[in-house]
Amino acid sequence: MSKAPFLTFDINLETFQDNLTAQLNVNREKIQALLAQSDKTYASFIKPFEMMDERLDQFFTPLSHVNSVKNSELSQKVYSDVLPIITEYSTEVSQNLEIYQAFKTINENEYASLNSEQQRIIDLNILHFELSGAHLDEVKKERLKEINLRKSTLTNDFSQNLLDATNAFEYIIMDEADVKGLPQSDIDAAAFEAEGKTAYKFTLQMPSYIAYMTYGPSQEIREALYKAYTTRAPENAVIIDELLSLREEMAGLLGFNNFSEYSLASKMAPNTSAVISFLKELAASSANQATEELAALKAMTPNELMSFDTAYYSEILKKAKYDIDEEEYRPYFEQNSVVEGMFEFLHHLFGISFRPVQEKLWDEKASAYDLYVGDELRSRLYLDLEARQDKRGGAWMHNWQSHCSDEEGKEQLASAFIVCNFPPSSESNPSLLRHDDVVTLFHEMGHALHHMLSTVNENGVSGVNGVEWDAVEFPSQFLENFAYEPQVLRLFAKHHESAEILSDVMIERLVRAKNFQSAMGMLRQLEFALFDFKLHMTHEPDVQQILDNVRLDTSLLTPPSYNKFQNGFAHIFAGGYAAGYYSYKWAEVLSADAFFAIIDQGVFDTQIGKDYLNIVLGRGGSSSMSSLFQELMGRKPETHSLLRLSGIQ
Ligand SMILES: [Zn+2]
């Protein structure tokens, strides 16, 4: 196969909107022409339809990328101007029932003769259409539309109520003794002048609330904040009831027994009982150690340990037993040597190598690399790692081109961006990372490799495209685990001045700090996941009762009865996690399990490492992750791997 060259990164903000509009009109005409064909086949309809999508992504991605990493008034304006245009187009395509019909026809006529990647494209497209009701009669469609409209009003109200309640509360501290022990930066953030005196204001907004709950010396104030926090937005209770009943009705219209079943239709987890028993198994295995962790915490407290004390005493305990001083570690993690070391590690793990490419990019600190497997060029990686003023915070991977073979059979290679916000380097000062930053870089690299090492020929299921939602974090968490592995760290964790290698003792402290109270943390996450999942399986649920029941298995410390945490659970009532909160743990088990398979074979140059490359990374979204995992390991995922990773006995 001949190869198409990589795109060059080049964007003209002045002409972007006009070019996009023109492109969308070309697409609209092309869709009409594709639909007008009398004999629609995979090659004559689906392939060009899918490639049209790929090219639109390729055109649009540089704009969202630049708006995030090289933000300007112009980029913001262009982005907000074109967002409704592209949204309108996507809605139009996703609601075009003729396209759905075309997929159905090709499914009937040709499915058996297609390869598994092409079959997967058909399966996912039909599923996508049917999960939004394309196959229903007009009456049901109309009702579905009403439900969706009402749902979006309710989720919006839920967030707004929560936001209003969060903003409405403040606690003013007049006595300096009540802020003693807080980090100076938190004290500075809270301080203000009131009647010629310094006073301190704490709120329910995250940094402020967490700071006082973690370091605030006054139990009375901690309780006041905790009570305000856990009783926010009581009016959300009725919203929750209505939302749950609408979700259940919607699932019913689409042919599912309940909303949890509907949620799983597009996920890796096979059925609702598998999710429940998975979560319960983890809870049962964590209970003993969590009880011990809680006992250690109780031993720190003069009186009975209350829910509003746990963060405070945990911090004291952590300082005493596991504290690591980030500044002590930084000199060992100089940015360039971390990146080079990560490449070297990946060479040992997968036999891949990175070669720098000279290319003009959006910022002089950004860089490009070509990725080779052996001598074969496979994809291109862009790194933009340092914080700057015109860059959005956080870290992420963004895929650009996807590996595929185009309409003419030309091979298109994949490309992806990794963006972080590490300390900026200068002529005189190197960029020294925290260990957390190293973990972040490995995490994003895991996502990028999932995209870049694809060998799939259909772009819609190549790399991270088409991967089930509860499996997306598998490759990222998998790679992140290696950032705690002594053999890996020794490759690059060298003091930037003395070249001394990070000692085993210091590495061990990183692992111990990571696993501090891991069983208690595990139970807390399982409580959220079980509550979410059971809630969406129950007809006319009594929300509080379901929560109380879940807590019998997950909660060692009964929260005060005024605690109505559910009214603030935005992940599932205002975000995309409804009947999906379990996904965090689900993907962690896959990643821990595959990680130990490699560790147990000696980390470098293992057969299982190569298998992982070919099966999990190579095949991307072209098969369900459950079958890829089965093929890799010869068995189903085992939850005890996650317990082992978390240091739970
Ligand atoms: Zn991630």
Side-chain angles (χ1 to χ4, degrees):
M1 249 191 309
S2 69
K3 287 178 183 175
F6 288 111
L7 295 171
T8 38
F9 194 92
D10 194 13
I11 176 169
N12 185 339
L13 289 170
E14 307 286 346
T15 57
F16 191 89
Q17 182 170 346
D18 289 346
N19 290 343
L20 177 70
T21 309
Q23 182 59 50
L24 294 180
N25 288 334
V26 170
N27 282 10
R28 286 185 173 103
E29 277 169 31
K30 178 138 193 198
I31 291 174
Q32 286 316 313
L34 289 175
L35 286 169
Q37 301 175 101
S38 54
D39 183 26
K40 294 193 257 305
T41 63
Y42 194 94
S44 76
F45 182 85
I46 297 181
K47 188 83 203 179
F49 178 75
E50 289 285 309
M51 285 307 296
M52 201 168 65
D53 216 29
E54 170 73 17
R55 295 201 176 99
L56 185 58
D57 274 350
Q58 288 175 10
F59 179 74
F60 195 78
T61 296
L63 175 66
S64 45
H65 182 68
V66 157
N67 193 43
S68 302
V69 301
K70 206 74 194 166
N71 189 278
S72 64
E73 263 177 45
L74 182 60
S75 80
Q76 285 174 32
K77 181 174 179 339
V78 176
Y79 192 76
S80 62
D81 286 352
V82 302
L83 214 52
I85 301 177
I86 194 102
T87 308
E88 191 195 339
Y89 172 82
S90 309
T91 313
E92 204 176 290
V93 173
S94 69
Q95 289 176 353
N96 186 335
L97 293 184
E98 281 183 77
I99 299 175
Y100 167 62
Q101 276 311 330
F103 272 97
K104 291 276 281 183
T105 307
I106 297 165
N107 183 45
E108 276 154 34
N109 297 341
E110 217 184 329
Y111 193 83
S113 65
L114 297 171
N115 68 38
S116 64
E117 295 176 357
Q118 296 165 330
Q119 290 178 340
R120 182 85 173 157
I121 289 279
I122 294 185
D123 293 344
L124 291 185
N125 271 286
I126 291 180
L127 177 69
H128 186 76
F129 272 108
E130 295 189 349
L131 286 180
S132 50
H135 59 310
L136 299 180
D137 65 41
E138 287 311 313
V139 178
K140 285 182 175 165
K141 262 188 200 141
E142 198 46 46
R143 178 62 189 145
L144 207 54
K145 215 186 252 175
E146 281 170 22
I147 291 177
N148 281 328
L149 217 58
R150 181 70 187 146
K151 266 169 48 198
S152 69
T153 307
L154 289 171
T155 50
N156 195 38
D157 290 351
F158 186 98
S159 313
Q160 192 59 51
N161 292 340
L162 195 58
L163 187 68
D164 291 346
T166 305
N167 291 338
F169 181 89
E170 55 184 45
Y171 193 102
I172 306 294
I173 295 173
M174 300 304 293
D175 187 349
E176 203 185 332
D178 286 337
V179 296
K180 203 161 168 273
L182 272 88
Q184 192 58 43
S185 57
D186 291 315
I187 295 179
D188 292 346
F192 69 104
E193 291 302 309
E195 293 153 23
K197 271 189 69 186
T198 303
Y200 307 89
K201 180 167 84 180
F202 285 87
T203 70
L204 301 183
Q205 267 135 20
M206 253 323 129
S208 177
Y209 177 70
I210 293 281
Y212 205 89
M213 296 309 287
T214 310
Y215 303 103
S218 157
Q219 193 193 38
E220 196 189 315
I221 298 174
R222 287 200 307 268
E223 183 175 9
L225 285 164
Y226 174 87
K227 191 166 184 180
Y229 190 81
T230 57
T231 55
R232 286 176 303 165
E235 64 274 37
N236 277 350
V238 291
I239 293 185
I240 291 174
D241 289 339
E242 189 181 348
L243 207 47
L244 288 171
S245 115
L246 288 174
R247 283 175 180 168
E248 193 189 19
E249 188 187 347
M250 181 186 103
L253 285 172
L254 293 168
F256 299 95
N257 287 316
N258 53 58
F259 189 83
S260 289
E261 254 186 31
Y262 161 83
S263 160
L264 293 191
S266 53
K267 296 191 175 76
M268 170 190 172
N271 53 53
T272 54
S273 56
V275 172
I276 296 282
S277 52
F278 163 78
L279 295 170
K280 285 199 158 178
E281 191 187 328
L282 277 176
S285 314
S286 308
N288 279 344
Q289 183 164 325
T291 308
E292 286 167 21
E293 288 169 4
L294 187 68
L297 193 57
K298 282 181 172 165
M300 305 287 298
T301 58
N303 304 310
E304 193 192 347
L305 180 74
M306 307 299 284
S307 292
F308 38 83
D309 294 330
T310 51
Y312 180 74
Y313 287 106
S314 292
E315 182 59 28
I316 295 176
L317 182 61
K318 189 177 175 190
K319 261 225 145 58
K321 284 183 76 173
Y322 303 101
D323 196 35
I324 56 168
D325 179 0
E326 272 168 11
E327 296 311 312
E328 202 188 325
Y329 283 82
R330 269 187 204 273
Y332 293 89
F333 297 124
E334 190 276 320
Q335 189 195 129
N336 292 315
S337 81
V338 169
V339 171
E340 287 305 317
M342 177 176 70
F343 288 166
E344 192 185 342
F345 151 63
L346 291 170
H347 183 71
H348 290 308
L349 188 66
F350 295 136
I352 61 177
S353 46
F354 292 84
R355 302 182 196 165
V357 180
Q358 295 311 321
E359 203 189 325
K360 189 172 161 20
L361 299 170
W362 54 92
D363 188 275
E364 58 177 16
K365 288 289 183 72
S367 52
Y369 298 84
D370 277 344
L371 189 167
Y372 289 79
V373 178
D375 279 330
E376 192 197 352
L377 174 62
R378 290 286 287 276
S379 48
R380 182 163 288 181
L381 172 69
Y382 300 90
L383 295 182
D384 184 354
L385 301 182
E386 298 188 3
R388 333 175 255 283
Q389 277 211 320
D390 51 9
K391 191 180 196 178
R392 174 158 72 82
W396 65 91
M397 185 283 292
H398 196 154
N399 47 306
W400 190 16
Q401 294 179 271
S402 299
H403 180 271
C404 61
S405 119
D406 71 10
E407 300 95 320
E408 275 88 51
K410 227 185 223 177
E411 184 182 15
Q412 177 187 283
L413 300 182
S415 60
F417 308 100
I418 291 180
V419 180
C420 297
N421 270 281
F422 297 156
S425 57
S426 67
E427 293 273 314
S428 50
N429 278 317
S431 164
L432 302 179
L433 312 188
R434 296 171 306 146
H435 181 257
D436 273 357
D437 296 329
V438 178
V439 174
T440 300
L441 180 63
F442 275 55
H443 180 100
E444 299 310 333
M445 192 64 184
H447 283 305
L449 292 179
H450 196 193
H451 195 68
M452 297 195 304
L453 285 165
S454 168
T455 53
V456 173
N457 286 323
E458 305 302 320
N459 60 289
V461 292
S462 179
V464 297
N465 300 329
V467 175
E468 294 127 321
W469 202 72
D470 48 355
V472 166
E473 294 299 322
F474 164 27
S476 52
Q477 290 168 346
F478 164 81
L479 208 65
E480 166 183 333
N481 294 334
F482 288 96
Y484 291 91
E485 191 53 32
Q487 283 193 68
V488 175
L489 286 173
R490 278 189 223 113
L491 286 177
F492 61 85
K494 295 189 183 96
H495 197 285
H496 73 110
E497 281 164 341
S498 70
E500 175 203 2
I501 293 175
L502 191 67
S503 70
D504 285 0
V505 176
M506 280 178 79
I507 296 174
E508 202 191 306
R509 264 161 49 206
L510 287 173
V511 176
R512 287 216 322 235
K514 169 176 76 83
N515 288 341
F516 174 64
Q517 289 185 343
S518 58
M520 280 169 64
M522 174 83 78
L523 283 188
R524 191 172 153 75
Q525 288 300 311
L526 294 170
E527 181 173 309
F528 297 161
L530 272 167
F531 170 61
D532 162 46
F533 208 73
K534 287 190 166 179
L535 198 57
H536 288 101
M537 281 177 71
T538 313
H539 179 61
E540 291 183 13
D542 177 334
V543 177
Q544 187 63 49
Q545 199 186 343
I546 289 184
L547 185 56
D548 291 344
N549 273 335
V550 166
R551 280 181 176 157
L552 294 177
D553 290 330
T554 58
S555 195
L556 302 171
L557 199 63
T558 311
S561 57
Y562 60 72
N563 178 321
K564 296 283 174 199
F565 132 86
Q566 60 269 34
N567 295 337
F569 197 5
H571 267 83
I572 69 164
F573 296 122
Y577 279 84
Y581 199 88
Y582 78 89
S583 299
Y584 288 111
K585 289 290 159 219
W586 189 266
E588 277 175 29
V589 165
L590 304 179
S591 60
D593 212 1
F595 168 71
F596 282 122
I598 289 178
I599 293 291
D600 293 343
Q601 284 189 15
V603 188
F604 298 146
D605 304 307
T606 62
Q607 184 55 43
I608 185 91
K610 290 186 182 72
D611 292 345
Y612 179 88
L613 168 82
N614 293 325
I615 298 169
V616 175
L617 301 180
R619 306 244 294 274
S622 68
S623 282
S624 167
M625 192 59 87
S626 56
S627 59
L628 296 181
F629 193 91
Q630 176 74 37
E631 198 177 326
L632 174 72
M633 305 286 279
R635 58 167 175 75
K636 288 186 168 25
E638 285 177 357
T639 52
H640 84 88
S641 299
L642 178 57
L643 301 169
R644 179 178 165 195
L645 186 71
S646 315
I648 298 173
Q649 308 297 326

